[in-house]
């Protein structure tokens, strides 16, 4: 993973979360004016930066704390996803109740975000698929949809382990789904003569390609031999037995196994920008063949929804 993949894919993911995500849009719509919505975004940015820096520092602290005694080698934990929790438990073990408070805060923050997501899913499904045909008992239907979404997501959580862990699977799924969606909105805002049919084909093709990359990564496991850069010792583990991790010497694990499928080595963090890129590329190329004049809406009407076709403010000198 290079600085470019981090920069481009991070931009794509944050565009999704702040620009086209249903939860964000609902929050923007809850304020009186669009000016207030802009203030919300600008006020959120510095706090998000502080939170991101703190998360990075936590990662450095965890690595430093377990550098001389890797808990994956001692058998205390089975997956890297448990490192932060184990770190919190060990650091706060002399302070009764603090470890429980830490876990309570983690669960509270997770439930807050997840509950908003379930409500957003229920609202979208009801308005797009149910309301046009069945408008009665809207509250009950939304509750049922939110409950079903919760049950499905809870079931999918058990699939994280075979998919490489919570972090890897969540990043892969997020990149696979967000990139093509952002590409659709970018086409709608910046492309004047893009065809609807071409856009649909581009979206399906881009999503399928991202899914193919993700499945290849999960099946091939090109970075299976990569390990945390620790240096466990009997002294560091206070005499506890540990099994040193075997690191291959014939190749650099950072670049994946030599015999692995080439596309499987693409970082899951790059999927977001790849999805955006291919949606735009395929749609623009196919739009040359599929003209917008054959579609329901004229190019002039659709152009009014783009950035260049937006209503202009009257000049103060006019």
């Amino acid at each position: 993973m290079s600085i470019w993949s981090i920069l481009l894919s991070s931009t794509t993911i944050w565009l999704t979360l702040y620009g086209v995500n249903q939860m964000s849009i609902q929050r923007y719509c809850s304020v009186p004016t669009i000016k207030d919505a802009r203030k919300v975004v600008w006020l959120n940015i510095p706090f998000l930066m502080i939170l991101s820096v703190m998360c990075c520092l936590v990662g450095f602290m965890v690595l430093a704390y377990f550098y001389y005694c890797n808990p994956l080698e001692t058998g205390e934990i089975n997956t890297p996803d448990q490192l932060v929790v184990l770190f919190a438990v060990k650091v706060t073990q002399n302070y009764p109740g603090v470890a429980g408070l830490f876990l309570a805060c983690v669960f509270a923050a997770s439930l807050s975000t997840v509950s908003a997501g379930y409500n957003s899913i229920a609202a979208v499904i009801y308005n797009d698929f149910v309301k046009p045909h069945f408008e009665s008992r809207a509250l009950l239907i939304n509750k049922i949809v939110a409950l079903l979404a919760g049950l499905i997501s809870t079931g999918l959580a058990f699939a994280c382990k075979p998919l490489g862990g919570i972090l890897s699977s969540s990043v892969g799924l997020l990149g696979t789904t967000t990139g093509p969606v952002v590409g659709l909105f970018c086409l709608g805002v910046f492309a004047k003569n893009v065809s609807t049919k071409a856009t649909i084909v581009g979206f399906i093709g881009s999503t399928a390609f991202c899914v193919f990359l993700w499945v290849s990564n999960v099946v091939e496991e090109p970075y299976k031999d990569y390990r945390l850069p620790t240096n466990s010792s009997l002294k560091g583990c206070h005499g506890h037995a540990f099994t040193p991790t075997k690191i291959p010497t014939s190749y650099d694990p950072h670049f994946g196994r030599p015999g692995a499928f080439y596309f499987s080595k693409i970082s899951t963090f790059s999927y977001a920008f790849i999805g955006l890129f291919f949606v735009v590329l395929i749609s623009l190329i196919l739009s040359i063949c599929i003209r917008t004049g054959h579609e329901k809406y004229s190019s002039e009407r659709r152009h009014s929804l783009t950035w260049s076709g937006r209503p202009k403010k009257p000049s103060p000198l006019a």
Side-chain angles (χ1 to χ4, degrees):
M1 185 167 59
S2 65
I3 182 64
W4 294 110
S5 63
I6 294 175
L7 179 63
L8 296 175
S9 288
S10 294
T11 302
T12 305
I13 291 174
W14 288 117
L15 278 174
T16 303
L17 298 179
Y18 280 93
V20 303
N21 184 270
Q22 176 66 18
M23 292 188 293
S24 299
I25 299 301
Q26 286 186 195
R27 289 179 171 90
Y28 299 154
C29 293
S30 66
V31 296
T33 64
I34 191 171
K35 185 178 181 180
D36 293 326
R38 293 193 183 105
K39 288 181 180 179
V40 170
V41 176
W42 283 111
L43 290 174
N44 184 266
I45 290 176
F47 293 103
L48 177 66
M49 294 175 64
I50 294 173
L51 179 62
S52 299
V53 172
M54 291 176 64
C55 290
C56 293
L57 292 177
V58 168
F60 288 129
M61 287 190 293
V62 170
L63 178 60
Y65 187 86
F66 293 119
Y67 182 76
Y68 293 106
C69 187
N70 190 337
L72 291 168
E73 297 178 347
T74 60
E76 291 182 87
I77 58 176
N78 300 318
T79 172
D81 294 326
Q82 301 169 330
L83 278 170
V84 175
V85 177
L86 179 63
F87 170 72
V89 171
K90 284 183 172 293
V91 170
T92 61
Q93 60 185 348
N94 295 326
Y95 305 95
V98 177
L101 180 62
F102 169 79
L103 292 177
C105 292
V106 171
F107 281 114
S110 302
L111 289 174
S112 174
T113 304
V114 170
S115 62
Y118 292 155
N119 290 331
S120 298
I121 292 174
V124 170
I125 292 177
Y126 176 78
N127 281 279
D128 290 350
F129 300 103
V130 180
K131 187 176 180 180
H133 310 286
F134 188 76
E135 293 192 24
S136 62
R137 305 185 70 85
L139 181 59
L140 177 61
I141 294 175
N142 277 272
K143 288 181 178 179
I144 293 174
V145 173
L147 175 62
L148 292 176
L151 294 175
I152 293 173
S153 62
T154 303
L156 291 175
F158 290 98
C160 289
K161 186 175 182 179
L163 292 177
I166 295 176
L167 180 61
S168 178
S169 58
S170 60
V171 171
L173 180 61
L174 185 66
T176 301
T177 54
T178 58
V181 173
V182 176
L184 288 179
F185 279 86
C186 289
L187 287 170
V189 173
F190 297 107
K192 178 179 179 180
N193 295 317
V194 66
S195 167
T196 301
K197 295 179 181 178
T199 304
I200 293 174
V201 174
F203 176 77
I204 295 175
S206 177
T207 303
F209 182 65
C210 289
V211 171
F212 166 73
L213 293 177
W214 188 28
V215 172
S216 300
N217 181 274
V218 172
V219 173
E220 289 284 334
E221 295 183 319
Y223 302 102
K224 184 178 181 180
D225 296 327
Y226 177 75
R227 296 292 184 270
L228 293 174
T230 56
N231 187 21
S232 300
S233 63
L234 285 174
K235 182 179 179 181
C237 293
H238 304 289
H240 295 289
F242 65 94
T243 304
T245 303
K246 295 182 179 180
I247 300 177
T249 57
S250 58
Y251 69 94
D252 189 347
H254 289 83
F255 299 99
R257 289 186 293 105
F261 182 52
Y262 177 77
F263 286 110
S264 69
K265 298 180 182 180
I266 298 177
S267 172
T268 54
F269 203 80
S270 303
Y271 295 169
F273 180 74
I274 291 174
L276 184 153
F277 175 77
F278 276 101
V279 164
V280 174
L281 180 65
I282 296 173
S283 300
L284 291 178
I285 293 176
L286 291 181
S287 293
I288 299 175
C289 305
I290 306 175
R291 297 295 181 181
T292 57
H294 301 293
E295 298 181 350
K296 181 177 180 180
Y297 300 111
S298 64
S299 59
E300 290 78 11
R301 178 179 176 184
R302 293 187 304 150
H303 180 54
S304 64
L305 302 176
T306 64
W307 173 260
S308 59
R310 70 192 189 283
K312 303 297 191 298
K313 292 183 179 180
S315 174
L317 300 178

